[in-house]
């Protein structure tokens, strides 16, 4: 082996360091894809597209939203888990990231090992709606009607694993009834079915429902958080109206394929934190009733801890209810 003087080795290491620094400084150098696991027009899609516009400004490159629907978000999650970990593919998902292991026994990714975590984005309350000509006028009437006519009621959701499904299941459990459940590929199509009076009831996020509630396009029975929300201050909670302890809300986090360079995650996370403070994003989320998470939750470490806790929370519940998807 040829002898290399110490100063030659030092120069080589310096060159490598400078090259690595230059590469990091160049990131991102092209468009970034933000994968959404649900249909265009749905609540997660609305959050993603609003956020993507602000991230583009911060990163200096386009953030292109790509919808990959199916199987409660697992189609998109599997795609991202197997994507090239080069810092140009990211993934936004909600509670489905934590419920997937219980719902899908043959899951092709591990929520805790197949991804790098970036940070949480927003929390979104759910609302209980019905088609405009549904007989009950308020929640008390809804409860009475549901118990007397459960076999005649169609309940829409966004598909297996979607929060709308979880909310609907908890509603039936709380009422002690069983509706006919009709799954759709996303809450966008489910909402369209409700507006078209093809289904009776839907539990959906405020990101999608507030405009329809305010326009009087649907019957609105209440919110699923334990406290009233600022965007609908006069709307009572389901907890207030007899369903004690009923609470369902949606949380959104951002992920990348496992092995994505840490420096790229750091750049993206910095852009995320700035984007979440932007007037355009905060205004849009306020209009939709979504709540931007606190700064301590906008970190990879916080999101990973939260996903683990949600897996531990929901897995026994879902298994007890037999909600596996074969």
């Amino acid at each position: 082996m040829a002898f290399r003087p110490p100063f030659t080795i030092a120069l080589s290491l310096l060159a490598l360091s400078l090259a690595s620094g230059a590469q990091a400084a160049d990131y991102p150098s092209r468009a970034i894809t933000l994968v959404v696991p649900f249909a265009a027009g749905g609540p997660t899609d609305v959050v993603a597209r609003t956020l993507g516009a602000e991230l583009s400004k911060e990163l200096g490159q386009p953030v292109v939203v790509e919808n990959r629907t199916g199987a409660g978000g697992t189609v998109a999650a599997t795609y991202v888990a197997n994507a090239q970990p080069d810092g140009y593919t990211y993934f936004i998902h909600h509670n489905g990231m934590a419920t997937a292991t219980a719902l899908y026994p043959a899951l092709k990714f591990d929520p805790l090992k197949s991804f790098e975590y970036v940070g949480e984005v927003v929390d979104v309350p759910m609302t209980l709606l019905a088609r405009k000509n549904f007989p009950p006028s308020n929640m008390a009437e809804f409860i009475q009607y549901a118990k007397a006519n459960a076999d005649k009621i169609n309940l829409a959701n966004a598909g297996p694993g979607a929060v709308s499904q979880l909310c609907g299941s908890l509603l039936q459990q709380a009422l002690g009834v069983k509706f006919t459940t009709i799954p759709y590929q996303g809450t966008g199509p489910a909402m369209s079915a409700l507006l078209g009076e093809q289904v009776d009831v839907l539990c959906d996020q405020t990101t999608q429902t507030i405009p329809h509630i305010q326009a009087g396009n649907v019957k609105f029975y209440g919110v699923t958080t334990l406290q009233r929300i600022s965007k609908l201050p006069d709307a009572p909670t389901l907890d207030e109206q007899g369903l004690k302890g009923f609470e369902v809300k949606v949380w959104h986090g951002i992920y990348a394929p496992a092995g994505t360079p840490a420096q790229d995650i750091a750049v993206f996370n910095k852009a995320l934190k700035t984007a979440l403070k932007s007037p355009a994003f905060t205004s849009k989320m306020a209009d939709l009733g979504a709540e931007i998470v606190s700064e301590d939750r906008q970190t990879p470490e916080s999101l990973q801890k939260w996903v683990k806790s949600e897996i531990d929370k929901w897995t026994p519940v879902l298994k007890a209810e037999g909600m596996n998807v074969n």
Side-chain angles (χ1 to χ4, degrees):
M1 180 180 295
F3 173 73
R4 299 183 67 190
F7 72 89
T8 303
I9 297 175
L11 286 174
S12 298
L13 292 174
L14 177 59
L16 287 172
S17 177
L18 290 173
S20 176
Q23 183 177 4
D26 289 341
Y27 175 82
S29 60
R30 55 185 171 87
I32 288 174
T33 298
L34 178 60
V35 177
V36 176
F38 305 110
T44 301
D45 183 73
V46 172
V47 172
R49 291 181 186 277
T50 307
L51 180 62
E54 298 307 305
L55 286 170
S56 295
K57 297 175 185 177
E58 297 303 317
L59 294 168
Q61 294 291 342
V63 174
V64 181
V65 173
E66 180 178 325
N67 300 88
R68 287 183 173 265
T69 65
T74 61
V75 169
T78 301
Y79 169 78
V80 174
N82 291 304
Q84 186 71 23
D86 56 7
Y88 289 92
T89 301
Y90 290 85
F91 177 47
I92 184 168
H93 200 6
H94 61 26
N95 311 47
M97 182 65 91
T99 59
T101 53
L103 290 169
Y104 298 89
L107 204 63
K108 296 181 180 179
F109 65 89
D110 185 332
L112 297 175
K113 297 179 181 179
S114 299
F115 304 94
E116 302 295 341
Y117 290 72
V118 180
E120 288 185 74
V121 181
V122 294
D123 288 334
V124 186
M126 301 288 283
T127 52
L128 179 61
L129 311 174
R131 55 182 166 82
K132 191 174 181 179
N133 58 354
F134 196 57
S137 298
N138 53 51
M139 192 60 193
E141 291 182 9
F142 180 93
I143 293 173
Q144 183 178 11
Y145 185 87
K147 290 183 176 181
N149 301 278
D151 60 336
K152 302 175 184 177
I153 296 175
N154 294 324
L155 172 67
N157 66 44
V163 182
S164 57
Q165 183 204 28
L166 299 178
C167 185
S169 296
L170 290 175
L171 176 66
Q172 293 174 83
Q173 185 181 65
L175 295 175
V177 300
K178 189 67 176 178
F179 301 141
T180 298
T181 299
I182 302 178
Y184 290 83
Q185 288 193 338
T187 48
M191 176 59 76
S192 294
L194 188 73
L195 295 173
E197 300 178 1
Q198 298 164 5
V199 294
D200 301 314
V201 180
L202 173 66
C203 189
D204 198 6
Q205 304 176 38
T206 54
T207 43
Q208 177 162 257
T209 64
I210 283 181
H212 297 297
I213 291 170
Q214 294 176 332
N217 297 330
V218 295
K219 281 197 174 178
F220 171 47
Y221 298 114
V223 296
T224 65
T225 47
L226 294 179
Q227 292 80 36
R228 297 191 181 196
I229 62 176
S230 59
K231 192 63 181 179
L232 299 168
D234 297 326
T237 67
L238 299 192
D239 175 78
E240 288 178 58
Q241 300 179 89
L243 300 186
K244 293 299 181 183
F246 194 97
E247 181 182 25
V248 183
K249 67 178 181 178
V250 184
W251 48 268
H252 294 80
I254 294 183
Y255 313 81
T260 299
Q263 63 265 30
D264 294 352
I265 296 292
V267 170
F268 196 94
N269 179 262
K270 181 179 179 181
L272 173 66
K273 290 179 177 179
T274 303
L276 293 181
K277 297 176 183 177
S278 69
F281 186 76
T282 56
S283 176
K284 180 66 172 180
M285 292 303 102
D287 288 343
L288 297 173
E291 302 172 353
I292 297 169
V293 301
S294 58
E295 287 192 27
D296 62 306
R297 293 174 58 190
Q298 299 169 16
T299 67
E301 297 77 16
S302 177
L303 177 57
Q304 187 169 31
K305 182 178 179 180
W306 178 250
V307 172
K308 177 63 168 62
S309 70
E310 285 286 279
I311 290 173
D312 292 342
K313 171 185 175 180
W314 282 105
T315 296
V317 173
L318 296 173
K319 287 186 176 180
E321 294 185 359
M323 291 176 64
N324 284 346
V325 179
N326 295 323

